[in-house]
Amino acid sequence: MSGHLSIVGIGPGPLNQITPEAEAALAHAHALYGYGPYLERIPIRPGQSRHASDNREEAERAVAALRRASEGDRVAIMSGGDAGVFAMAAAVCAEIEAGPPAWRALEIAIVPGITAMLAVAARVGAPLGHDFCAISLSDNLKPWDLIERRLDAAANAGFVIALYNPVSRARPWQLGKAFERLRAHLPDATPVIFGRAVGRPDERVSVTTISQADPIGADMATLVIVGSAQTRVIDRPGRTPLVYTPRINQTASA
Ligand code: SAH
């Protein structure tokens, strides 16, 4: 019997931001693999086994799930947000590429989810309304100088930039350095959005400028969106401002 492996994005936080397709994939699995706190968000189903692991154990989790699926089981691996954005789907693909031929015969379904940058953007308006890119500030898997080159290139090309993994306990200085780098390319008033734990009870969202952005405002659960020179802020009496990047962009310069 050929096994089945779903790699499922469960959205940024609340279960009302999980898609019906993702919900069904989790409900039909015999075995669920995921980071402990994500597993806790999913209702327990009789007969379903659960395998919690640490956030840093992506490769081990991928191998365990692939082994289980190749025994003929229906298996689901969960990721926060979208499974293909800085998450498990790429880890599983890497293990399939390096692993035994039998893993290539498995049925694999990748089920998309709402990624953090979309959830954060939606809280403030439409900062991703025009061309944008996403960069992970984690230098665990790539060198810091490559990240700096990408920040320079993205800011120079006029992209709005979503920064995933801005800080962690082991990476305290990277976001400050990234802001410093971006200030060299962007006007002082360029909007910067901090979106923390969006969709969860401890959510916090704030809007500032690149000249005032303070890395202290970010932690591991924060996504930072740095606007382009085109990004605008609409102040509204008694309400949070709206931030957007217009779709019309006819100037040659970024
Ligand atoms: N696969 C995930 C991203 C994993 S990388 C996704 O598609 O969203 C982890 C980073 O995602 C965190 O450091 C943070 O930058 C961001 N993130 C994840 N959930 C978030 C949330 N609810 N609010 C804000 N940022 C979040």
Side-chain angles (χ1 to χ4, degrees):
M1 184 173 110
S2 151
H4 186 287
L5 178 63
S6 307
I7 312 163
V8 182
I10 61 164
L15 288 181
N16 64 1
Q17 288 190 350
I18 188 169
T19 67
E21 186 188 15
E23 218 163 14
L26 298 178
H28 293 136
H30 302 144
L32 276 190
Y33 288 77
Y35 173 47
Y38 295 158
L39 277 177
E40 281 162 24
R41 290 191 222 156
I42 304 300
I44 296 196
R45 292 195 173 77
Q48 191 175 61
S49 68
R50 289 167 169 249
H51 309 268
S53 47
D54 190 274
N55 214 7
R56 285 157 299 183
E57 293 164 1
E58 282 193 351
E60 292 89 332
R61 188 186 310 148
V63 167
L66 282 159
R67 285 204 180 119
R68 179 76 181 253
S70 61
E71 287 161 11
D73 257 335
R74 223 186 152 79
V75 176
I77 304 195
M78 299 161 39
S79 260
D82 180 83
V85 178
F86 306 122
M88 281 308 297
V92 172
C93 290
E95 295 304 330
I96 292 175
E97 189 175 20
W103 287 359
R104 299 186 183 213
L106 289 171
E107 214 178 307
I108 307 278
I110 292 143
V111 181
I114 298 175
T115 188
M117 68 178 172
L118 301 185
V120 172
R123 282 288 189 262
V124 296
L128 308 180
H130 201 65
D131 299 343
F132 63 88
C133 66
I135 298 178
S136 169
L137 281 195
S138 170
D139 54 354
N140 292 337
L141 302 172
K142 60 187 171 185
W144 178 253
D145 72 314
L146 176 64
I147 298 174
E148 289 194 333
R149 271 187 280 135
R150 288 189 177 155
L151 290 168
D152 289 344
N156 268 323
F159 287 111
V160 171
I161 308 170
L163 296 173
Y164 283 76
N165 297 309
V167 278
S168 75
R169 250 163 281 144
R171 296 182 294 101
W173 54 264
Q174 281 80 348
L175 181 61
K177 196 91 196 168
F179 283 152
E180 231 172 74
R181 201 90 197 172
L182 293 170
R183 280 185 197 115
H185 306 285
L186 296 169
D188 284 356
T190 304
V192 173
I193 300 141
F194 287 74
R196 177 181 189 280
V198 164
R200 303 186 206 141
D202 48 344
E203 168 175 328
R204 212 170 53 222
V205 179
S206 61
V207 179
T208 180
T209 59
I210 190 70
S211 64
Q212 300 200 319
D214 184 344
I216 287 291
D219 64 6
M220 274 171 75
T222 306
L223 179 113
V224 179
I225 297 178
V226 180
S228 72
Q230 308 293 323
T231 305
R232 307 176 62 76
V233 177
I234 308 173
D235 287 316
R236 302 187 301 158
R239 295 187 185 276
T240 49
L242 277 174
V243 184
Y244 80 110
T245 308
R247 299 191 58 213
I248 298 176
N249 181 345
Q250 288 170 330
T251 52
S253 74

